[in-house]
Amino acid sequence: MYILLALISAIFAAIYFYYKQSFTYWQSRGVPHLTPSMPFGNLNKPWSIPLVDQVTKQYKIFKKRGERQAGFYLMTEPIYIPIDPEFVKNVMIKDFHHFTDRGLYVNDEAQPVIGNLFFSDGQKWKNLRQKLTPTFTSGKMKMMFNTMMNCTVPLQESIGQIADNNETFDAKDVMSKYTTDVIGSCAFGIECNSFKDPDSDFRKYGRLMFEENAIKAMKFLFSLSFGNLAKKIGLKNMEPEVAEFFTKVAVDTYNYRIKNNVKRNDFMQLLIDMMDKDNNGGQKSNFLTMNDFVAQVILFFVAGFDTSSVTLSFTLFTLASHQDIQGKLRQEIKNVLKKYNGEITYDALQEMKYMEQVINETMRLYPIAPVLGRVCTQNYTMPSTNLVIEKGTKVFIPNWGLQRDPDYFPDPDKFDPERFSDENKGSIDPGTYLPFGEGPRICIGLRFAMMQMKMCLAALLKDYEFRMNPKTIVPLQLGFGFVISVKGGIWLNVKRIS
Ligand code: HEM
């Protein structure tokens, strides 16, 4: 009994001293930070307060104190938070070679199909990024334009029906049907028919992938802090049934195309062509295995579906709450389309500059990735300070705090697309506006995302007017999971216009 008590006391003492020792990290380096406490460090109620709120709080406190950088403890792990936009740019752009990794928890031994571009680090990331970059050129986007455009037909029909029946609709629900159709056809070469079949397996597993709950949030924080331990206990990145479903679809589609010599204008084809090139004695690379192939196809689905549907639903929300801006945007769409015989084309979308302003301003207010991550990969002295950021230190970029900072965006909660006009956009510091990230790890799908969002808005706004429905709780009650969400949803009314 005494031995057991002594053992338990020794374990507690060891944990206590481990914490005490860990909590001296920032103090000993002279980096401002708040006093951490056991067991969560600087996290406050991590099961209910999202990480973005915790990081934004640090940003605001230290910005107000005039600090240019801050330290933070994620449980015992020291995290570096740049406050000054110059420091943000040093990490993301100027000295990126010291911060090439994203540092997410990746268990690709247990789940090889998670080894995708977003999760990969080091040389594997470099190789993949190099290989996949040509997949996203404007030429490739033009090639996919018609495949994507076909997905606006069921969208328009569905919105038309809602308008004719005087119904209200949840913007996120309708937008995610559209983006599922788009990414289904562009990544998997499959017609998902989400409007006709809202409970299709694609939608079911897509929803499951993004479903958030307290257990998932805690698992995420745990694996971020204690990656090695998480691997030892076999913590997976994705629910096994989700991984299985998407793997089967990708492999089946691959086999079908090879066997039947079917070629389509989509991402899958570009990846298949790349594999062929590798296998036929083209440039040797790491991009050889079926797992790598499946991992990228799944990634395109994950990255392309919720990110754009969330951004689109916020755009419809901001337009419904600002009828003048909605009217101005509609006028631009009509003027441009007149030049193209009423047809939405790739070039017509390029000319819709005010639409870009509207989307950019929406993403300033509602960035889908409100905190961005990097890991220091080689010791780095932050210029104009004495601080050496040590190899292995994680960096959190406080995107949300920066994009709503009144010093950079006066009256920050106001929706004002003029901030991004030709006259004004030059004065935006790139270190303060990061909806797609920045530097060599910037979102690779930016062009694709902009094309699909602009196409959707042009197809809808030319014929329909959107208004708020009182069911929407304003101000919006935001939730933060893998991407941001709105509690209770964004409910809108829609009317046909002549
Ligand atoms: C509105 C839509 C989208 C937004 C706001 C968005 C935003 C982002 C952000 C913030 C990052 C992290 C960048 C960084 O760390 O600096 C990212 C990375 C990435 N995104 Fe997107 N994204 C969108 C759509 C897409 C689409 C449609 C695809 C692909 C079809 C895609 C593929 C990726 C990939 C592969 C990465 C990882 C890049 C790398 O690590 O090299 N995204 N995205």
Side-chain angles (χ1 to χ4, degrees), residues 102 125 129 299 303-304 307 368 374 435-438 441 443-444:
R102 187 163 279 126
W125 168 75
R129 180 89 193 192
L299 168 67
T307 49
I368 55 114
R374 291 289 186 270
F436 286 107
E438 248 311 345
R441 276 205 98 146
C443 174
I444 202 171

Side-chain angles (χ1 to χ4, degrees), residues 344-386:
I344 300 174
T345 64
Y346 182 86
D347 291 333
L349 292 184
Q350 299 307 308
E351 281 186 39
M352 295 180 190
K353 294 291 169 204
Y354 188 64
M355 187 184 284
E356 263 168 40
Q357 288 177 225
V358 167
I359 296 174
N360 287 341
E361 175 66 346
T362 304
M363 292 192 297
R364 182 187 68 79
L365 284 171
Y366 307 105
I368 55 114
V371 173
L372 295 166
R374 291 289 186 270
V375 179
C376 179
T377 45
Q378 298 167 42
N379 280 4
Y380 176 71
T381 307
M382 186 54 81
S384 76
T385 74
N386 296 324

Side-chain angles (χ1 to χ4, degrees), residues 359-365 399 402-403 409 420 428-438:
I359 296 174
N360 287 341
E361 175 66 346
T362 304
M363 292 192 297
R364 182 187 68 79
L365 284 171
N399 197 13
L402 288 156
Q403 294 194 176
F409 299 97
F420 293 89
I428 295 175
D429 183 330
T432 62
Y433 180 68
L434 308 150
F436 286 107
E438 248 311 345

